[in-house]
Amino acid sequence: MSPRIGLDLPTIVRTAAEIANTQGLEAVTMASLSQKLGIRSPSLYNHIDGLGGVKLALAIYGLRELNEQMSKAVEGLTGEDAVYAAGKAYIAYARSNPGVYEATVPAQSQDNAEFKAISEQLIGLIINLLDRYNLKHETAIHIVRGLRSLLHGFSSIEQKGGFGLPYQLDESLQLVLQTYLSGIRQICIEE
């Protein structure tokens, strides 16, 4: 069977992203994609390796977008201003792309070279933001993991409606990032 004219991988991924962001990642199926695209499910297999391939492509797409948004947010900024901007861009991306963001987290994608490369690019961006602290490489990796954990935890709890108290979420994020940066300054004193 030949591929449908006008149907390509980017179109499939954008459609999967739309479904994921509006209905949730679990709503992305071969059936929902084919219905949204107006094709039969078997036609998708001419372009992508099943649902696993769709979700991997969606994860790579999401990491690229996240990296682009964080990179734009920190343009021209240095030090703590850059870390604040990167953190806020991360949360903003997760807020506006909840399904795609969720797709960026799975461990099974770590075996894919493209996924690994874009993940390393994102880690490199954050390490560069921390350059002014002159951290040892190993310490910087731990610090990046901490920031990722903080931002992922914040965005995940927010997406699940877990922040029920009547306080502004952006103020909470600002305070958490401030506390995180204060901790980095303390590590620098101790190293």
Side-chain angles (χ1 to χ4, degrees), residues 10-27:
T11 301
I12 293 169
V13 173
R14 282 191 306 273
T15 304
E18 183 181 326
I19 293 169
N21 286 335
T22 58
Q23 300 172 39
L25 182 60
E26 68 283 346

Side-chain angles (χ1 to χ4, degrees), residues 21-92:
N21 286 335
T22 58
Q23 300 172 39
L25 182 60
E26 68 283 346
V28 177
T29 64
M30 298 303 272
S32 67
L33 274 171
S34 61
Q35 181 181 12
K36 184 100 172 145
L37 291 165
I39 60 170
R40 295 179 316 136
S41 289
S43 300
L44 289 169
Y45 291 92
N46 292 318
H47 302 279
I48 198 147
D49 188 23
L51 186 57
V54 170
K55 290 195 175 177
L56 174 61
L58 193 57
I60 292 167
Y61 171 83
L63 284 176
R64 271 203 185 97
E65 282 196 326
L66 178 59
N67 194 1
E68 286 173 19
Q69 285 195 15
M70 288 176 70
S71 294
K72 284 180 187 174
V74 301
E75 255 177 42
L77 300 176
T78 59
E80 293 184 1
D81 290 339
V83 175
Y84 283 122
K88 290 175 183 177
Y90 185 105
I91 297 299

Side-chain angles (χ1 to χ4, degrees), residues 38-159:
I39 60 170
R40 295 179 316 136
S41 289
S43 300
L44 289 169
Y45 291 92
N46 292 318
H47 302 279
I48 198 147
D49 188 23
L51 186 57
V54 170
K55 290 195 175 177
L56 174 61
L58 193 57
I60 292 167
Y61 171 83
L63 284 176
R64 271 203 185 97
E65 282 196 326
L66 178 59
N67 194 1
E68 286 173 19
Q69 285 195 15
M70 288 176 70
S71 294
K72 284 180 187 174
V74 301
E75 255 177 42
L77 300 176
T78 59
E80 293 184 1
D81 290 339
V83 175
Y84 283 122
K88 290 175 183 177
Y90 185 105
I91 297 299
Y93 182 80
R95 284 175 178 164
S96 61
N97 299 280
V100 174
Y101 173 74
E102 185 180 346
T104 67
V105 180
Q108 71 268 18
S109 301
Q110 294 175 358
D111 293 335
N112 178 278
E114 191 176 4
F115 181 90
K116 201 176 210 177
I118 193 69
S119 294
E120 289 172 4
Q121 188 178 7
L122 192 55
I123 290 167
L125 169 70
I126 297 169
I127 287 174
N128 287 339
L129 297 178
L130 301 172
D131 269 353
R132 75 178 289 255
Y133 295 102
N134 298 316
L135 299 167
K136 294 177 190 168
H137 182 73
E138 183 177 336
T139 302
I141 295 297
H142 294 306
I143 297 296
V144 168
R145 284 178 176 167
L147 182 60
R148 180 178 179 222
S149 298
L150 183 152
L151 295 172
H152 174 68
F154 193 97
S155 62
S156 295
I157 292 169
E158 181 179 5
Q159 282 184 2

